[in-house]
Amino acid sequence: QVQLVESGGGLVQPGGSLRLSCTASGFSFDYFGIGWFRQATGKEREGVSCISGNFGATNYADSVKGRFTISGDDAKNAVYLQMKSLKPEDTGVYYCARVLDCSGILMPGFTPLDAWGQGTLVTVSS
């Protein structure tokens, strides 16, 4: 059974950093990528970043390029999202999701392979 669990969110001041974790089970990173998405209150869920199968290619939304870094650790069955120079507009619930490939994840309304999880809340505020 496929399972993805997000963790690492919290309250951070503007300019601060957080590292989110997505712990996976039930499938192999050899064949699937992982996308990170976020949803702010009152807004649509949006794609933030993605890493392809075998931790190959990565991509980022323009709003986070240069500040966020996605990476994977096969031994720990985890994908991470390192977030730096956080801004109040980065606030939201962050979700990870299994994808066949990273094409299209930055498009509105992207649907991943599995149901959305609980997510982890990131609040950037002074």
Side-chain angles (χ1 to χ4, degrees):
Q1 183 179 356
V2 172
Q3 189 173 16
L4 294 165
V5 179
E6 305 94 343
S7 62
L11 173 63
V12 63
Q13 292 187 342
S17 299
L18 278 176
R19 189 179 79 157
L20 305 184
S21 298
C22 174
T23 304
S25 61
F27 65 96
S28 171
F29 288 130
D30 288 349
Y31 306 112
F32 298 96
I34 294 291
W36 278 100
F37 303 79
R38 67 186 180 189
Q39 187 168 23
T41 302
K43 293 189 176 181
E44 296 292 320
R45 189 165 5 223
E46 61 176 355
V48 174
S49 182
C50 187
I51 188 165
S52 64
N54 275 323
F55 303 141
T58 60
N59 61 0
Y60 300 91
D62 287 343
S63 59
V64 307
K65 275 181 184 175
R67 301 188 298 120
F68 290 12
T69 303
I70 192 170
S71 63
D73 186 334
D74 207 23
K76 295 185 177 179
N77 293 323
V79 169
Y80 305 103
L81 186 68
Q82 178 69 52
M83 307 185 295
K84 299 179 179 179
S85 302
L86 282 162
K87 305 175 181 180
E89 51 263 44
D90 294 317
T91 294
V93 179
Y94 283 68
Y95 304 86
C96 62
R98 188 173 62 128
V99 300
L100 279 176
D101 59 62
C102 290
S103 61
I105 78 114
L106 301 181
M107 301 298 292
F110 180 85
T111 302
L113 293 172
D114 313 291
W116 296 105
Q118 295 295 314
T120 186
L121 176 62
V122 172
T123 304
V124 184
S125 175
S126 55

